[in-house]
Amino acid sequence: MHPSPFDLPEPRFVTAGEHPLWDEAPAAVDRDMAATLPGQQPPRLVAYPGFEEDEEAERCYVAFADGYSHGNPLGRAGSAAGALRVVAEAAQDTVMERLWQAWPVCTLHGLGLHVTEDAGRPSWWCAGGSRPDDPAHVRAATGEMDTVHRPRRPNRKRRKAR
Ligand SMILES: [Zn+2]
């Protein structure tokens, strides 16, 4: 398949339960992608075999549905929150390389968001505007971008005024 002279290993899709710590994170990142990148298939984890001297050490990446991935392999994560942070950052790399756009973007400032920790949860952070009264802010918890990007629904009922 590859025209490369090197014997490049093919990735395989990681199935649920293989890396329990990472089972939840792709779903959370998928929620953010669905809210902000309509039409994208859910991201998946792929694994490449380890190097010759360390074959046990598979390297996992966040990939598009077709297996395309970019960036660094997932690092170690000691907690579910840590795993979400790692997966969200890896998804950013893959999305930016594949789609050539910053992701996700703050709709208030038009800036690419970064993963930070807010109240113990991985969150999307925006550097804010240039004015002093327009400071850096957390846009949404990772996995909850749909709270600021509400998907349009046809026949949406109007809310009564409070
Ligand atoms: Zn912002």
Side-chain angles (χ1 to χ4, degrees):
M1 283 172 67
H2 283 283
S4 162
F6 301 104
D7 187 18
L8 287 175
E10 292 292 321
R12 66 179 184 82
F13 288 109
V14 174
T15 54
E18 275 189 75
H19 298 281
L21 201 54
W22 290 343
D23 278 353
E24 304 296 324
V29 171
D30 176 42
R31 286 197 296 277
D32 288 350
M33 287 178 69
T36 55
L37 296 170
Q40 287 298 326
Q41 298 280 314
R44 300 186 63 178
L45 296 186
V46 295
Y48 284 84
F51 298 110
E52 225 171 283
E53 61 272 26
D54 189 12
E55 288 186 2
E56 296 299 310
E58 274 195 329
R59 290 159 295 142
C60 294
Y61 297 81
V62 176
F64 276 77
D66 61 5
Y68 173 92
S69 67
H70 183 81
N72 296 317
L74 298 179
R76 292 180 193 280
S79 65
L84 179 52
R85 186 176 178 137
V86 164
V87 167
E89 285 176 340
Q92 280 191 298
D93 281 349
T94 295
V95 168
M96 284 194 269
E97 183 66 20
R98 181 77 174 259
L99 303 180
W100 282 100
Q101 64 182 75
W103 177 83
V105 171
C106 175
T107 47
L108 300 177
H109 297 106
L111 299 173
L113 299 170
H114 301 274
V115 182
T116 188
E117 191 176 302
D118 181 57
R121 301 181 64 190
S123 301
W124 294 114
W125 177 89
C126 169
S130 51
R131 298 195 321 269
D133 61 348
D134 198 11
H137 64 109
V138 167
R139 190 70 177 115
T142 304
E144 295 182 4
M145 282 296 281
D146 59 343
T147 62
V148 290
H149 287 262
R150 296 187 189 283
R152 276 184 211 158
R153 296 196 182 91
N155 306 322
R156 188 172 59 177
K157 285 178 188 169
R158 281 196 151 196
R159 279 194 185 169
K160 285 179 186 170
R162 285 180 194 175

